[in-house]
Amino acid sequence: MGASLFLGKLPSELGLYLGLTGARLNGVEMLHCGLATHYVESARLPELENRLTQINTSDLVVIKNAISEYSSTFPDKLTLPEGSVMQNLRKLKQIFSKDSIEQIMAALEKAADDSKPWIKNALTSMQAASPTSLELIFQQMRRAKSLKNLDEAL
């Protein structure tokens, strides 16, 4: 429920896509869409955790600076993976901005020949899902666009 607050604010119907399909984003994709502020490689996470446990303050500037010490800033490390849905936001919006689940499914079926794995995966996932669940997620995400705070999302 609370996730609808931030998912509903994502660009190009990305939140609806994630909600309806159960698709996952990797760290770089999360950084690109605004769900993450820092990208720390897995190998450095124990170091970061150790550093954060040494901080004796709730000052967000100090905490953000500590995280930044371990964040990757190398452009090649922050490149979107090939075939990422983030590279196809225009197409994503075209498909998922429809007025109903049925229209979204029809748009996915029409686009399935596009050879983009995310389209085929989305179609397969939604075909296997409960129609009632899809409709509930659809309505929740549509309403989420106007939410202002977590209390409204819950």
Side-chain angles (χ1 to χ4, degrees), residues 57-78:
T57 182
S58 59
D59 184 338
L60 290 179
V61 173
V62 173
I63 295 168
K64 286 179 183 180
N65 287 340
I67 295 170
S68 292
E69 292 173 29
Y70 296 90
S71 295
S72 180
T73 56
F74 306 110
D76 60 319
K77 300 260 188 206
L78 301 180

Side-chain angles (χ1 to χ4, degrees), residues 61-118:
V61 173
V62 173
I63 295 168
K64 286 179 183 180
N65 287 340
I67 295 170
S68 292
E69 292 173 29
Y70 296 90
S71 295
S72 180
T73 56
F74 306 110
D76 60 319
K77 300 260 188 206
L78 301 180
T79 302
L80 288 168
E82 188 171 329
S84 169
V85 70
M86 295 301 298
Q87 295 171 333
N88 297 279
L89 290 180
R90 184 181 308 161
K91 185 73 165 178
L92 182 82
K93 184 175 183 176
Q94 181 184 27
I95 294 171
F96 283 85
S97 63
K98 305 296 184 202
D99 293 328
S100 69
I101 292 295
E102 293 78 14
Q103 291 176 359
I104 291 171
M105 294 290 287
L108 282 168
E109 288 169 358
K110 184 177 177 183
D113 294 334
D114 198 349
S115 77
K116 303 274 190 232
W118 70 267

Side-chain angles (χ1 to χ4, degrees), residues 14-148:
L14 180 61
L16 180 61
Y17 159 77
L18 295 171
L20 291 175
T21 65
R24 296 180 181 182
L25 300 177
N26 69 24
V28 174
E29 291 169 319
M30 291 181 67
L31 193 63
H32 278 269
C33 76
L35 283 176
T37 57
H38 296 78
Y39 178 79
V40 179
E41 293 186 38
S42 298
R44 299 205 68 197
L45 287 174
E47 297 172 60
L48 173 60
E49 182 179 358
N50 185 47
R51 173 74 175 95
L52 290 174
T53 60
Q54 295 172 359
I55 295 175
N56 258 347
T57 182
S58 59
D59 184 338
L60 290 179
V61 173
V62 173
I63 295 168
K64 286 179 183 180
N65 287 340
I67 295 170
S68 292
E69 292 173 29
Y70 296 90
S71 295
S72 180
T73 56
F74 306 110
D76 60 319
K77 300 260 188 206
L78 301 180
T79 302
L80 288 168
E82 188 171 329
S84 169
V85 70
M86 295 301 298
Q87 295 171 333
N88 297 279
L89 290 180
R90 184 181 308 161
K91 185 73 165 178
L92 182 82
K93 184 175 183 176
Q94 181 184 27
I95 294 171
F96 283 85
S97 63
K98 305 296 184 202
D99 293 328
S100 69
I101 292 295
E102 293 78 14
Q103 291 176 359
I104 291 171
M105 294 290 287
L108 282 168
E109 288 169 358
K110 184 177 177 183
D113 294 334
D114 198 349
S115 77
K116 303 274 190 232
W118 70 267
I119 293 175
K120 291 178 181 161
N121 292 341
L123 181 58
T124 301
S125 174
M126 289 180 68
Q127 287 171 331
S130 156
T132 303
S133 293
L134 291 175
E135 188 60 37
L136 287 171
I137 293 166
F138 180 80
Q139 293 301 327
Q140 181 180 18
M141 295 307 297
R142 287 293 184 248
R143 291 183 183 124
K145 291 181 181 205
S146 64
L147 297 177
K148 293 178 182 67

